[in-house]
Amino acid sequence: LCQNAHSVGGSLSGVLGNFLYTLNPVAPFICTSAFACVTLLIYTIGFWARLGFGDDIDTAEEKRSRRVGHVRVSRWANGPRKTTLHKGDHCE
């Protein structure tokens, strides 16, 4: 199903791109830029709606999980850091 949707989307964008190019050679690029900006806004608004605004992501996810009733365990923050750089060490 995902491959079919990808194929249909690629075909439609190819046909639309060719049509827009016949109208104005810059039109496909303007259309693509506008689509990318709208997609960015949708994702950003979605994250703000999910986590809120003002807290860092770890605190916001903890508040959200408590509100939903889940127990959140941050797996990446529990263990010691594997990479530490001490005075005199060189990073290559």
Side-chain angles (χ1 to χ4, degrees), residues 48-70:
W48 282 347
R50 175 183 169 141
L51 298 177
F53 183 72
D55 291 332
D56 64 289
I57 194 163
D58 201 32
T59 305
E61 279 291 339
E62 187 175 339
K63 286 180 183 176
R64 180 186 165 277
S65 63
R66 264 191 263 129
R67 186 178 67 240
V68 174
H70 296 288

Side-chain angles (χ1 to χ4, degrees):
L1 180 66
C2 184
Q3 181 63 37
N4 291 340
H6 186 264
S7 299
V8 169
S11 299
L12 288 176
S13 65
V15 170
L16 181 63
N18 284 332
F19 172 72
L20 289 173
Y21 190 81
T22 59
L23 299 176
N24 186 352
V26 182
F29 301 102
I30 293 172
C31 183
T32 303
S33 298
F35 182 72
C37 288
V38 167
T39 304
L40 173 73
L41 285 174
I42 289 171
Y43 271 93
T44 302
I45 291 169
F47 277 116
W48 282 347
R50 175 183 169 141
L51 298 177
F53 183 72
D55 291 332
D56 64 289
I57 194 163
D58 201 32
T59 305
E61 279 291 339
E62 187 175 339
K63 286 180 183 176
R64 180 186 165 277
S65 63
R66 264 191 263 129
R67 186 178 67 240
V68 174
H70 296 288
V71 176
R72 182 174 182 272
V73 178
S74 179
R75 293 187 190 350
W76 62 271
N78 286 340
R81 291 182 63 183
K82 294 181 181 179
T83 306
T84 56
L85 191 63
H86 299 288
K87 187 176 181 182
D89 290 345
H90 297 307
C91 185
E92 296 179 21

